[in-house]
Structure formats: C-alpha cells, structure tokens
Amino acid sequence: MIKARGLARRFTTKLGPVDAVRGVDIDVAEGELVGFLGPNGAGKSTTLRMLTTLLQPTAGEAIVAGHDLLSDPAGVRRNIGYVGQKNGAGADQRVADELALQARFYGLSKHEARRKAGDLLERFELQGMEKRAVITLSGGQQRRLDIAMGMLHDPRLLFLDEPSTALDPQSRRNLWDHIKQLKADGTTVFLTTHYLDEADFLSDRLLVIDHGSIVGEGSPDELKNSVSGDLVVLGTPQAAVVATKFPDAVVEDEKVSFRIPNGDRSLPGLLRDLDNLGVELHSVQVHRPTLDDVFLTMTGRSLREETNAGQNYLG
Ligand SMILES: Nc1ncnc2c1ncn2[C@@H]1O[C@H](COP(=O)(O)OP(=O)(O)OP(=O)(O)O)[C@@H](O)[C@H]1O
Ligand SMILES: [Mg+2]
C-alpha cells in the first residue's frame, strides 16, 4: 500500500533550511494499521502530507495505493483518504451539507452521496445529527465526522494525522474502536500520534520517527522486548553501594535504578542478596518496559517530557 524510499523535505525559512524529514523509507502492507509515533516536530505531519500529495518532497520517491506519488498524484488521491491534524469540517456548516460537499468533491452522484453519507453517519454513530451545525457536535463527534468525510469515496488507504488529540479519555476510546473497525473492514490505516497509549493500543506495527529520521520499527511488543530487561528502582540510603553491583545503574538521591531480565522472577533472589550485604531497603518498584522506555533507549530522551499537552493521556 505504501512503499516510500528516501522521502525527504527541506523547508527554507528566514532562519535557514529546516530538514523536517531526512530521507525515510516506509513500507505498509495491505490491511495493516501502522502507527507513526514521534514527539512534536519530529516530522510526522510533513511525511503524511508528502505521502498524500499535499506537499512536494525535496527528494525520494513513493508508490502509494498502487500509484506513483510524483508522476500520478491524481491516482494516489483517488485511492486514499486523508484526515488532517486540524478539524476538516466547517464549523458553521450542517453535518449533512459538509458530507454532501465532500462527496461532490470526490465526484459522487447526488444519489450515491446521500446513500454513502447515510451509511457513514450510522457507522460513526452520528445518526440523527445531519441537521446540526458542526460546531455544536462534541469533540469526539467532530473527529468521527472528519473521518467519515475521509471515507466517502471508499479509499483503500486512510491517513489520519493525530486522530485523538484534544479528546477526553472516553471519546478517545470510542474513536479508537472506530479506527479498529475500519481496519477490520479491510481499510489500510496509517496514523500519526505522539501518544504512547494510542500507538500501543491501535498499531499492528509502529514506525518511530525522531528529528526527521526513522529510529525504530516493529510491533509494540517487539519494540518493548527490544529494551533489555525490566527497570528496578530501589529506595535505599546505600544507593551508591548498590549501584556498584550493576554496570548500568543510575543513582538519584536515595534511589538507584537499573535493568534486570525477568524482573518478576529474579527480584526476590536479588533482594535476599542485598539484605545479606546489609543494605537497608525502603521501597522496591519494578517496571515492565513501556513504549516510552523504547523511545528513551532509541534516542536518549523520554517522549513523555516532550508531550506535555498530552500528559493526562499518557497511560
Ligand atoms: N511550512 C514549514 N516551514 C518551515 N518549517 C516547517 C514547516 N512545516 C513544518 N516545519 C518544521 O518541520 C519540522 C517537522 O514538523 P511536522 O509538522 O512534520 O512535525 P510533527 O511531527 O507533525 O509534529 P506535531 O506532533 O507537533 O504535529 C518542525 O521542526 C517544524 O517546525
Ligand atoms: Mg503534526
């Protein structure tokens, strides 16, 4: 569905060139739900806008939904849906009018448009809202309408840019269920997110982007397993002493953290050994690797620190 090679985009600004995307390779198979995860400014939207023909790449090439991005952009557009990062529907417009207008844009007949709009309103739980102005819909309803608008022409491949940003937890869950259903119905989905829980929950496979380059790839589980071991955090006044036993240990105040394989099984023996050495322990925590640990391992930074806007949603 997507095969991109060396896709790059440089913006020229007053302050000099900005390499937003630095030559990425992307492969997405038919039927996959792929998450494109990265912090703010990583290059997610720029990549998406290139893959959807909205932005000219400065280098590279791609086949998207069976059509060449550079020589047949119209072919690409006919076969993809795109839901941008900001709301697509006009605030003062009625829901039904927005859908009808979009359907006209895709060249559907009036009859087809009405039938398709009816289907989609039902599918995205928007029945009975045809006459409402878009602005009166809840955030979750608006987002579902955006997606419905991207699905009017039955695209084989749907691009979603940050689908759940600014939604409350319940609306996010509902939206996620709808996105999973799109995949179950056979649509290939490529979505960007900077939310770890969203990436984890939705994606068959993840591509992790940072500073315009892809730094990791795999299923959420594969990526988590690639981080070696569980993180153990011990609270002890002898943190420095304990740290000498583990090469990767980090000491912070009266806490020492390090990684050990199979923490749940190996921890009891480890604690006994420390007790025998006379180490006084105040607290013990074990963390299974999360996608944040994956990001930290890959880039030396935490994704959490950079996504304050989404703080409440980081599972
Ligand atoms: N039109 C533009 N002109 C100059 N720089 C740009 C332009 N569009 C994007 N950039 C820069 O390119 C980089 C990548 O931006 P992009 O919007 O692709 O990031 P993102 O991963 O989508 O971030 P976010 O999570 O905030 O949506 C950023 O440094 C951004 O400031
Ligand atoms: Mg973006």
Side-chain angles (χ1 to χ4, degrees):
M1 271 292 164
I2 303 178
K3 185 183 174 85
R5 291 292 173 268
L7 212 56
R9 175 70 201 207
R10 165 175 284 192
F11 292 107
T12 311
T13 71
K14 280 185 194 141
L15 298 172
V18 176
D19 286 307
V21 179
R22 300 162 188 263
V24 296
D25 295 347
I26 295 175
D27 291 280
V28 175
E30 181 149 19
E32 268 193 307
L33 201 168
V34 174
F36 198 40
L37 175 71
N40 292 127
K44 302 182 296 295
S45 296
T46 304
T47 304
L48 216 66
R49 288 170 60 218
M50 288 194 280
L51 290 172
T52 52
T53 76
L54 298 172
L55 186 69
Q56 187 81 18
T58 31
E61 53 187 21
I63 305 285
V64 178
H67 297 261
D68 189 281
L69 187 67
L70 303 176
S71 65
D72 185 15
V76 173
R77 267 178 249 148
R78 267 200 307 280
N79 288 284
I80 64 167
Y82 168 72
V83 181
Q85 194 163 352
K86 302 226 167 71
N87 267 5
D92 301 327
Q93 303 299 316
R94 288 169 196 258
V95 169
D97 295 345
E98 279 298 272
L99 282 166
L101 194 70
Q102 186 83 359
R104 286 271 297 285
F105 171 83
Y106 288 128
L108 271 65
S109 72
K110 262 200 176 141
H111 173 75
E112 269 179 311
R114 201 168 308 135
R115 189 187 55 77
K116 193 72 209 173
D119 282 358
L120 286 167
L121 286 169
E122 198 163 320
R123 183 150 151 201
F124 289 98
E125 294 176 86
L126 297 167
Q127 315 93 304
M129 299 187 187
E130 293 84 340
K131 298 231 160 69
R132 298 255 302 265
V134 170
I135 198 166
T136 68
L137 303 181
S138 73
Q141 290 164 341
Q142 285 190 28
R143 211 55 186 146
R144 298 205 299 272
L145 176 63
D146 289 338
I147 298 179
M149 287 180 33
M151 292 297 295
L152 275 165
H153 57 312
D154 288 320
R156 302 157 65 203
L157 170 62
L158 181 67
F159 290 91
L160 300 172
D161 200 355
E162 306 267 354
S164 77
T165 297
L167 295 185
D168 60 84
Q170 208 179 343
S171 306
R172 298 180 81 216
R173 258 322 278 256
N174 173 282
L175 190 76
W176 290 354
D177 290 339
H178 281 285
I179 294 172
K180 283 225 159 171
Q181 191 57 46
L182 286 174
K183 180 203 142 74
D185 294 342
T187 309
T188 307
V189 182
F190 188 82
L191 65 88
T192 76
T193 184
H194 61 257
Y195 296 126
L196 298 160
D197 57 347
E198 179 162 270
D200 205 350
F201 181 83
L202 284 177
S203 315
D204 299 328
R205 199 155 56 80
L206 277 170
L207 297 174
V208 185
I209 182 169
D210 188 34
H211 296 309
S213 300
I214 290 180
V215 295
E217 190 199 330
S219 70
D221 276 345
E222 279 167 1
L223 286 171
K224 286 182 224 167
N225 290 337
S226 73
V227 177
S228 50
D230 299 327
L231 182 69
V232 177
V233 183
L234 301 178
T236 164
Q238 290 127 290
V241 177
V242 177
T244 61
K245 314 271 174 222
F246 302 92
D248 65 339
V250 176
V251 177
E252 216 176 316
D253 299 329
E254 297 208 333
K255 281 204 167 127
V256 54
S257 50
F258 50 87
R259 291 197 178 273
I260 54 170
N262 305 314
D264 45 352
R265 265 173 289 145
S266 50
L267 196 61
L270 180 86
L271 295 181
R272 267 196 305 278
D273 292 347
L274 290 174
D275 196 39
N276 290 338
L277 288 172
V279 171
E280 189 185 335
L281 287 173
H282 294 161
S283 65
V284 179
Q285 293 169 354
V286 189
H287 303 281
R288 290 284 301 142
T290 62
L291 284 179
D292 195 42
D293 298 323
V294 173
F295 192 78
L296 185 68
T297 308
M298 283 170 179
T299 66
R301 305 194 317 282
S302 171
L303 191 54
R304 270 160 206 269
E305 292 162 12
E306 308 198 15
T307 54
N308 293 331
Q311 229 163 29
N312 300 333
Y313 297 137
L314 296 172

